[in-house]
Each structure stands twice: as C-alpha cells, then as structure tokens.
Amino acid sequence: MEPRKRGRKRLGNRKRYRTVMLRFNDTEYERLRTIAGSYDLDISERGTISPLLRRLVLNGEADVKDRLPNTSNLAYHINQIGQNINQLVKLAHYKNLRSPNSSLVSEVQKANGLLYKLIEITTERQTG
C-alpha cells in the first residue's frame, strides 16, 4: 500500500508565474464586494478573490445562475403585489368589511414607499 500524499496538490505545468495587480477606487471595490457576495465569497479572506476574477475574466461571462438578480423584474413583481393588495382593500371598503388588521392601508403605503425607493436605486445604478 502506498503512503498517502499530504499537502497541497502540485500544479506541475499549470503553475502560475505571471502576476497582475489591480487597483480599485471605493465605488469599484464595493461593486467587486457585491459581485463576490453573489458567489457567497468573503472578499476579506485570503485566496478567494483571485479565482473569482480569473474565472470571470477567462470565461468572459459568469454563469446565468451566478449572476445578480435583475432588480427591475423584482420591482415589477412588487408593484403587481401592491396592486393586488389595493384591489382587495377597495373591495373590502366597497362591501364594508372590517378585517382584524386595520392597519392594512398603512402597510400598503409603506410597501409603495419601499417600491419607489427600490426604483430610485435601480435607476441610479443604471445611470451611474
């Protein structure tokens, strides 16, 4: 029986001799942190960002499952939910029904406010 090899796998002819240094400003670094977070990677840990950047650069694009979610689609669906809630509230008022949750109208207004903030953030990202 052969003795077990221990330690790190040898790269052989795949050993990397070339280095590339990247510098980011604060906004670029935060964007990089967000991208790494979408891959469930902690950018502060040593040895995590290089494989990610290598994969993104050499593959050209990330896999569809690894991309950040499209926030405009999310905003659309939240808006649709808000419209459904508004229709239910109008129906309840029309039929003069009272629900145990009397603060439903204020909750709808809060949801609409959050939706407008989400739309503002997405438009800032698209223009910035």
Side-chain angles (χ1 to χ4, degrees):
M1 188 177 238
E2 293 181 28
R4 281 180 62 185
K5 293 183 180 181
R6 295 183 182 199
R8 201 168 123 175
K9 258 191 193 176
R10 299 199 181 270
L11 292 175
N13 62 352
R14 297 181 325 161
K15 188 166 179 155
R16 298 180 178 101
Y17 294 104
R18 309 280 185 215
T19 60
V20 175
M21 181 182 291
L22 294 174
R23 294 184 187 269
F24 297 100
N25 63 23
D26 290 337
T27 56
E28 292 169 339
Y29 187 75
E30 286 305 315
R31 188 167 178 202
L32 179 64
R33 184 184 298 270
T34 304
I35 291 170
S38 71
Y39 288 91
D40 294 327
L41 297 175
D42 183 13
I43 199 170
S44 62
E45 288 183 22
R46 184 169 189 250
T48 58
I49 197 66
S50 294
L52 171 67
L53 292 176
R54 189 177 301 115
R55 186 169 92 185
L56 290 174
V57 169
L58 297 178
N59 291 345
E61 274 191 291
D63 295 336
V64 174
K65 67 177 183 172
D66 293 334
R67 288 188 185 164
L68 293 173
N70 186 356
T71 55
S72 64
N73 192 20
L74 177 66
Y76 170 77
H77 287 294
I78 291 174
N79 190 19
Q80 294 299 314
I81 291 169
Q83 288 178 1
N84 290 340
I85 292 172
N86 284 336
Q87 289 174 357
L88 291 173
V89 169
K90 284 181 183 180
L91 182 66
H93 283 291
Y94 176 74
K95 291 189 175 187
N96 202 10
L97 299 174
R98 297 203 180 244
S99 66
N101 187 4
S102 62
S103 64
L104 184 61
V105 175
S106 66
E107 293 296 324
V108 169
Q109 290 173 348
K110 287 180 188 177
N112 285 338
L114 291 173
L115 176 65
Y116 288 124
K117 287 181 184 178
L118 181 62
I119 291 171
E120 287 175 358
I121 290 171
T122 54
T123 55
E124 286 175 5
R125 284 190 180 180
Q126 290 174 355
T127 59

